[in-house]
């Protein structure tokens, strides 16, 4: 008869049940694998048919031909000319071109009038040249009434460099003894003390020159200024 729970019949029943379950599971796995393979095959078949319909067939290229280089044929042998009298090529005469004679028109000669002799220019002696006004003789020349202070007008730039010089001028003195014009006749160094000389000489006063009758008249005098640095 059957044994109690936990005996041999119970173990056999348990193993039988487990084996049945494993077979059922294996059957389901096999069916799933078969279904997957079938679906994959169908998909590949559809893709191949679609590619065959859309993709054009590749163009068939012509077979390549190998061209071989053929050497050029050798030149024909040169045959020497037969011996005999040598012939010399005579130069052909150049054709002579016809000459064309052109008659140039003659230029009419124009008689130019002979220029008349230039009129004689009047000589200098015959021209009316106004004579220079005669300078009235002076009884007494103009005399300076003082000495210009040259150190006051000495250019500072020249004094700092130690430059000394000399200026020779001509002064025009009016009848009142004032200096009217100053003309620099000579300057050493050239142009160095010209402005200073004019400034110093404008302050001078002169006793005017007089004529034979004792009247004060205008005159000119010359002065020489020595520019030296005071030590």
């Amino acid at each position: 008869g059957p044994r109690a729970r936990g005996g041999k019949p119970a173990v056999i029943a348990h193993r039988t049940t487990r084996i049945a379950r494993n077979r059922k599971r294996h059957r389901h796995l096999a069916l799933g694998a078969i279904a997957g393979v079938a679906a994959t095959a169908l998909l590949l078949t559809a893709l191949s048919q679609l590619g065959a319909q859309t993709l054009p067939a590749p163009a068939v290229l012509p077979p390549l031909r190998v061209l071989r280089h053929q050497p050029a044929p050798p030149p024909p042998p040169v045959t020497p000319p037969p011996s005999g009298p040598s012939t010399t090529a005579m130069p052909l005469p150049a054709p002579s071109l016809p000459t064309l004679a052109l008659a140039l028109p003659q230029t009419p000669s124009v008689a130019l009038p002979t220029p008349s002799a230039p009129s004689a220019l009047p000589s200098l002696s015959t021209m009316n040249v106004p004579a220079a006004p005669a300078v009235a003789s002076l009884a007494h020349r103009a005399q300076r009434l003082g000495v210009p202070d040259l150190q006051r007008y000495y250019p500072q730039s020249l004094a700092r460099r130690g430059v000394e010089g000399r200026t020779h001028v001509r002064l025009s003195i009016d009848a009142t003894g004032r200096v009217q014009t100053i003309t620099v006749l000579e300057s050493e160094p050239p142009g160095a003390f010209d402005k200073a000389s004019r400034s110093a000489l404008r302050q001078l006063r002169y006793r005017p020159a007089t004529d034979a009758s004792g009247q004060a008249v205008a005159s000119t005098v010359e002065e020489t200024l020595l520019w030296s640095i005071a030590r």
Side-chain angles (χ1 to χ4, degrees):
R3 299 181 180 181
R5 182 180 301 269
K8 187 176 181 180
V11 173
I12 295 173
H14 178 70
R15 290 180 177 178
T16 304
T17 304
R18 188 172 60 182
I19 292 173
R21 290 179 180 176
N22 291 336
R23 288 179 178 177
K24 186 177 182 180
R25 184 182 303 171
H26 291 165
R27 189 182 299 111
H28 286 299
L29 292 176
L31 292 176
I34 294 172
V37 171
T40 304
L42 292 176
L43 180 61
L44 293 177
T45 304
L47 290 176
S48 62
Q49 292 179 357
L50 181 61
Q53 293 177 0
T54 56
L55 296 178
V60 179
L61 298 177
L64 297 178
R65 292 184 300 173
V66 179
L67 300 179
R68 295 182 179 179
H69 177 70
Q70 298 180 359
V78 179
T79 304
S83 60
S86 61
T87 58
T88 304
M90 300 295 292
L92 297 177
S96 59
L97 299 177
T99 58
L100 180 62
L102 297 178
L104 298 178
Q106 297 181 357
T107 304
S109 59
V110 178
L112 298 177
T114 304
S116 58
S119 57
L121 298 177
S123 61
L124 186 60
S125 58
T126 59
M127 296 179 65
N128 297 325
V129 179
V135 179
S137 59
L138 300 178
H140 299 281
R141 299 180 63 85
Q143 297 179 1
R144 188 175 65 246
L145 298 179
V147 179
D149 186 5
L150 300 184
Q151 298 300 324
R152 177 183 176 186
Y153 299 98
Y154 209 106
Q156 296 297 322
S157 59
L158 301 180
R160 286 193 296 269
R161 292 183 293 168
V163 178
E164 298 180 346
R166 182 177 66 88
T167 309
H168 186 65
V169 297
R170 178 185 294 126
L171 305 179
S172 176
I173 311 300
D174 62 5
T176 62
R178 295 180 178 274
V179 178
Q180 296 298 320
T181 60
I182 302 173
T183 303
V184 178
L185 302 179
E186 185 180 358
S187 180
E188 297 177 2
F193 295 95
D194 292 358
K195 183 178 180 181
S197 300
R198 290 188 176 92
S199 299
L201 293 174
R202 292 234 180 243
Q203 308 302 324
L204 288 181
R205 292 294 179 269
Y206 284 81
R207 180 180 291 115
T210 57
D211 56 8
S213 62
Q215 296 293 328
V217 294
S219 62
T220 59
V221 296
E222 293 186 4
E223 299 282 0
T224 300
L225 304 181
L226 299 178
W227 295 89
S228 60
I229 301 174
R231 295 177 175 84

